[in-house]
Amino acid sequence: MKKNFYSDNVSGASPEILQALVAANEGDTAPYGGDAHTERLQTRFAEVFEAAVEVYPVGTGSAANGLAAAIVAQPYGAVCTSDCAHLHGSECAGAEFWSGGNVRTVPLRTVDGKFSAGDLAAYLDAAATRSAYDVPPRAVSITQGTEAGTVYPLREVRAIAELAKARGLHVHLDGARFANALVRLGSTPAELTWKAGVDVLSFGATKNGALSAEAVVFFDRKLAETMRYRRRRGGHLFSKMRALSVQLLAYVQDDLWLRNARHANAMAARVREGLASIPGVRFPHPTEINFVLVALPKPVWEGLVADGYSFSRRGRPDEGIIRIACAFDTPADSVEALIEGAHRHAAAMREGRQPATLTR
């Protein structure tokens, strides 16, 4: 019975991806991306995105974001993003690191984890009147899906991208949970990226079934001119690059990535539905991808922890918000057990008694 809902990173890898790794392990091949798998990745992603692209596998999402930010904001400047973006608040100033100190992230206020074209316009208008002491805006970064568990509809992505392009800014998309957003919106990969005005995508796979593989995907291929040097210098030109490339190939093969994301999203939707009827429960945001942000009554949360469940805390301690994250392999019966346990502790709370604690 799964009780670890701390993150979608707690799960292992999809069997299909592990099988692909085992198969690719046979024999010798050229190192540093000169192998047939990495070459195939370029053409396969061109098919997925319906456009000529340049794909650079890397080991982590933070590396993908940092490298992309360093490029879209060159030679120096600000990347405008949400105040809860992973790029801004959870990567230890990664954009600054990967750019050699030439990039700064600027947080925009958000509602449900998203900023609007109007928010961006207000910042850019104010920036235009600032002095030479301020950092000039160079790019915009959109997180899809967001750290609040929401998604940007296509019209919102287009509006932000249109404004950015009109002001001479590049557009980056942080797609750590890109597949989850894609299936939620029912869009194609092309519609949600370059057709909407996105120049560069941090393509996530690890949270959705890969072992450890992400990629930076360039739709504006001119921006990729320095990427091979930056990736090498940053330590992400893996000598056995085939180990990353085969994961990404298997990930998009036969729509594995979309099936995994649909399941994870469905499990999160069921968690929300099951908890919604508990008195005192509060959801600060909509649940649109694979995790639920929820404020549970303290006895319910403490009871679940005593039962052996793991969650991550979000927001200020006094808000009592936890994140319940579901993954591609979260069993439906584990979700039902979680819901049943929450209701059991809620009933005990109402009746003023101590519930029976489950054996771990």
Side-chain angles (χ1 to χ4, degrees):
M1 183 70 66
K2 178 185 177 73
K3 290 190 174 183
N4 193 338
F5 290 85
Y6 184 87
S7 169
D8 40 12
N9 286 316
V10 304
S11 296
S14 287
E16 296 90 339
I17 290 176
L18 293 177
Q19 290 165 9
L21 275 167
V22 171
N25 192 56
E26 294 294 324
D28 298 333
T29 189
Y32 299 105
D35 59 279
H37 303 289
T38 304
E39 291 177 6
R40 170 61 179 149
L41 186 65
Q42 306 298 317
T43 57
R44 184 68 186 99
F45 267 50
E47 295 167 359
V48 168
F49 287 98
E50 305 173 50
V53 295
E54 291 203 26
V55 187
Y56 289 81
V58 294
T60 70
S62 293
N65 279 346
L67 287 164
I71 287 172
V72 295
Q74 60 185 332
Y76 59 86
V79 177
C80 304
T81 189
S82 75
D83 54 14
C84 61
H86 202 274
L87 174 66
H88 174 67
S90 299
E91 297 180 2
C92 198
E96 288 87 338
F97 169 77
W98 290 102
S99 65
N102 291 336
V103 175
R104 173 185 164 195
T105 57
V106 173
L108 303 178
R109 74 169 186 89
T110 61
V111 175
D112 292 329
K114 303 183 294 180
F115 65 89
S116 68
D119 298 322
L120 177 62
Y123 172 78
L124 295 177
D125 289 343
T129 64
R130 291 175 184 152
S131 71
Y133 295 103
D134 296 303
V135 180
R138 300 288 189 194
V140 179
S141 179
I142 302 168
T143 306
Q144 184 76 297
T146 75
E147 296 296 325
T150 56
V151 297
Y152 288 84
L154 274 176
R155 67 180 183 278
E156 295 179 1
V157 178
R158 292 191 190 108
I160 292 171
E162 286 173 7
L163 173 64
K165 298 300 177 64
R167 302 293 185 95
L169 309 183
H170 292 300
V171 180
H172 165 253
L173 193 75
D174 177 359
R177 296 182 176 91
F178 182 67
N180 302 93
L182 203 63
V183 298
R184 168 71 186 196
L185 292 166
S187 305
T188 67
E191 289 170 341
L192 202 52
T193 53
W194 65 271
K195 286 186 177 181
V198 174
D199 298 308
V200 186
L201 166 68
S202 295
F203 182 86
T206 305
K207 295 180 185 296
N208 193 40
L211 187 64
S212 180
E214 314 279 308
V216 183
V217 182
F218 291 90
F219 305 105
D220 182 344
R221 300 173 71 189
K222 291 181 180 178
L223 289 174
E225 290 176 355
T226 64
M227 179 62 178
R228 62 173 179 162
Y229 306 111
R230 293 177 185 271
R231 184 178 62 167
R232 182 69 177 95
R233 190 181 186 194
H236 278 260
L237 179 62
F238 286 75
S239 59
K240 297 183 179 180
M241 187 63 76
R242 61 172 163 172
L244 274 67
S245 298
V246 295
Q247 291 182 66
L248 295 168
L249 286 169
Y251 183 63
V252 298
Q253 181 68 32
D254 298 326
D255 289 339
L256 173 64
W257 62 314
L258 304 181
R259 293 198 309 274
N260 283 357
R262 285 193 189 97
H263 176 79
N265 286 7
M267 293 299 97
R270 174 59 189 138
V271 168
R272 180 173 180 133
E273 177 187 48
L275 298 180
S277 60
I278 295 176
V281 164
R282 179 175 63 87
F283 300 99
H285 308 291
T287 298
E288 296 178 338
I289 51 174
N290 64 308
F291 61 83
V292 183
L293 293 180
V294 57
L296 293 172
K298 188 177 180 182
V300 175
W301 179 79
E302 290 179 341
L304 289 172
V305 171
D307 289 341
Y309 285 96
S310 296
F311 314 105
S312 63
R313 302 295 295 268
R314 287 292 187 270
R316 300 190 314 270
D318 62 316
E319 292 178 312
I321 297 172
I322 62 171
R323 185 183 71 175
I324 303 175
C326 298
F328 71 94
D329 61 349
T330 299
D333 59 353
S334 293
V335 167
E336 296 304 322
L338 168 64
I339 294 168
E340 186 279 329
H343 279 271
R344 175 168 48 83
H345 290 292
M349 176 185 68
R350 291 193 300 271
E351 296 168 9
R353 59 179 173 82
Q354 196 71 15
T357 300
L358 298 179
T359 302
R360 295 191 183 186

